Amino acid sequence: MPDLDDHDTAENRRARTADGPARRSVLRAAAGAGAAGVAATTLGGMLIPASAATRHGATARTGTPDTAHDDGASDVVLHVRDAAAGEIDVFRGTTQVRLRDRDLAARVVRASR
Amino acid sequence: MSSHREAPEIAKDPVADSTDVYAFVSPDRPRTVTLIANYIPLQGPAGGPNFYEFGEDVRYAIHVDTNGHSEANITYEFDFKTDLADPNTFLYNTGPITSLTSANWNRRQQYSVTRVDSKGRHSLGKGLLCPPCNIGPLSTPDYEAALAKPAVHTLSDGSRVFAGQRAEGFYVDLGSIFDLGNLRPFQNLNVFGTGLSAAPGVNATKFLNVHSIALQVPISRITVPGRPVIGVWTTASRQTVRVRSADRGADLNTGPFHQVSRLGNPLVNEVLIPLGTKDFWNTQHPVHDKQFAHYVAHPELAGLLPVLYPGVFPNLAALDKAKTARVDLEAILLTGIPSGIVPAFTNFTGPTPADMLRLNTSIPPTTSSPNILGLLGGDAAGFPNGRRVFDDVVSVELRAIAGVTFKLVESSYTVDAAAGKLTDGLTPADLGTPYLRHFPYLGVPYDGYHHPAH
């Protein structure tokens, strides 16, 4: 699955710059350690049923629940708030990052069907 | 009740449901302030096999505003952890629990205390043990001495803390209040009460328990020089997302903590805020309470009293009809009482309307014959100057809403004769067990063996 940075948009970059270093660092933390896992964990284990994941391709099923990290620090949850606007909340640990990425939102919505 | 199950959604989440907040200068240690936040309402003492406990997934907090800006300058956070020694038994305890380290105690809790202030986050204590619930004479013999007292811990900054089960100290005749305001001492006067005769109040919380987080802090640690008045409130927060994960053995909680419950003054969300707004109110910070000020200035209950008791409150009815803003209630509940209103007294924090319990720490505790009506009874050490465990906040607020305190701001107003007599007919004598004279002040919790009925 693509890295979040692969979906980085000019709009996102502008938003991160405007929000300053704190938000930027949070976003980078999420995009770094969990970047590949965002889509993998979410698509594979959270948002869509296994049958749907299979239907849309095995790439969504790379994530396997890790009982050693049940505190949630390694889990990432996506909430597509507004697919048309590409508004996505990303939850991990005790942080939340809001992305605006129409392409990624559209992909997640498609995967959930 | 003060804030027990006061909003539709939080009523379904008792572990995060704040029920009462107390803040008072400690009568036996007058250089300290005691702050108590209660959670998990209406506990039947015979609550086995899963006895009541704090939520591991809830962040409990007590906030203190020290500079009058209605925002937290100091926050104490409490995070709990549950330990299950033997998952292969259904028993809470496998023998008598005679100490906090008893091997017979199967499911126990510990917690940490963190102080957050302008200098950062400070760990004040970790691995602090809660006492067990009071189960019965065989399981928890010598409860207070062997289990509750050892659960009073001294923190690294010299403060003291206790977190665990206590006897409910808030007394209220819920049955009468929510039966169309059929206040039991006066039900013969209620418009629907034809044929009823006056009867004593009934304490609906008698023989029930609650979970308390109690903190006793040196006054110098929670005030700034020249500002003795503090604002106090509690909150409970949960992480934004919960994913039910039965296949993993535990749910996933993730995302930032999101406030789901708060409490400052008693009965505000319970009685003043309308049903459709209560849960939203719980998510808001006091500094944003201007949006709710209308409900305080024009309380629905003030309009109901003259209807429920025809002819009894004619002057209050006139106030309601004129849509007079109740600036007295706004002062008591949202800003504190400025100086010049009550002789030699103020607990004003500033003009920002915010629901906080306001305590003037420079007023010494009343140690001889305190009046349960607090300031209304001439006792400036009591509610609404903070709140002591025994204060009769129901009667105080009923009387205030009925117009007793409006005369403080409008001297030409004539208080209805009945307003000063309003009560739900209860006093601390209606409790099932006495308060303690020492920290944490709330009484020994009822045990399930002797009080199984609730």
Side-chain angles (χ1 to χ4, degrees), chain B residues 117-130:
Chain B
D117 58 27
S118 62
K119 295 178 181 174
R121 298 178 63 85
H122 317 280
S123 174
L124 301 184
K126 290 181 177 177
L128 306 166
L129 298 176
C130 296

Side-chain angles (χ1 to χ4, degrees), chain A residues 65 70 72 75 91-94 96, chain B residues 239-241 243 248 252 254-256:
Chain A
D70 275 351
D75 292 276
F91 299 93
R92 184 178 186 214
T94 56
Q96 172 183 347
Chain B
Q239 287 184 273
T240 312
V241 179
V243 179
R248 291 156 55 127
L252 167 67
T254 188

Side-chain angles (χ1 to χ4, degrees), chain B residues 153-224:
Chain B
H153 306 284
T154 300
L155 299 172
S156 61
D157 71 343
S159 302
R160 297 199 299 168
V161 69
F162 170 89
Q165 194 177 46
R166 291 284 91 190
E168 176 60 85
F170 174 62
Y171 46 95
V172 61
D173 189 347
L174 272 184
S176 70
I177 289 173
F178 287 110
D179 188 20
L180 294 174
N182 195 20
L183 296 173
R184 242 178 268 263
F186 314 110
Q187 63 266 57
N188 52 318
L189 303 177
N190 189 293
V191 68
F192 299 115
T194 309
L196 295 175
S197 56
V202 175
N203 183 12
T205 64
K206 194 171 186 176
F207 302 134
L208 297 176
N209 293 324
V210 73
H211 264 51
S212 297
I213 299 171
L215 197 57
Q216 192 167 69
V217 190
I219 291 176
S220 60
R221 290 279 293 157
I222 52 169
T223 57
V224 295

Side-chain angles (χ1 to χ4, degrees), chain B residues 185-337:
Chain B
F186 314 110
Q187 63 266 57
N188 52 318
L189 303 177
N190 189 293
V191 68
F192 299 115
T194 309
L196 295 175
S197 56
V202 175
N203 183 12
T205 64
K206 194 171 186 176
F207 302 134
L208 297 176
N209 293 324
V210 73
H211 264 51
S212 297
I213 299 171
L215 197 57
Q216 192 167 69
V217 190
I219 291 176
S220 60
R221 290 279 293 157
I222 52 169
T223 57
V224 295
R227 293 194 69 102
V229 180
I230 58 174
V232 177
W233 70 101
T234 186
T235 60
S237 303
R238 287 187 175 279
Q239 287 184 273
T240 312
V241 179
R242 168 175 286 185
V243 179
R244 303 285 186 191
S245 305
D247 59 326
R248 291 156 55 127
D251 294 342
L252 167 67
N253 294 294
T254 188
F257 279 92
H258 173 79
Q259 184 180 306
V260 297
S261 179
R262 71 156 160 149
L263 180 57
N265 280 297
L267 302 166
V268 167
N269 200 22
E270 177 99 8
V271 171
L272 300 182
I273 305 300
L275 268 173
T277 307
K278 287 175 184 291
D279 282 297
F280 174 68
W281 185 94
N282 267 331
T283 68
Q284 298 295 289
H285 295 205
V287 72
H288 299 135
D289 277 347
K290 185 178 180 181
Q291 62 187 315
F292 307 114
H294 174 81
Y295 301 121
V296 177
H298 301 278
E300 184 180 8
L301 182 57
L304 289 175
L305 283 172
V307 176
L308 292 170
Y309 295 91
V312 177
F313 300 100
N315 298 325
L316 178 63
L319 273 188
D320 296 336
K321 188 175 181 182
K323 300 187 185 306
T324 307
R326 295 295 303 277
V327 291
D328 55 326
L329 300 177
E330 291 181 299
I332 292 168
L333 299 172
L334 296 181
T335 65
I337 300 171

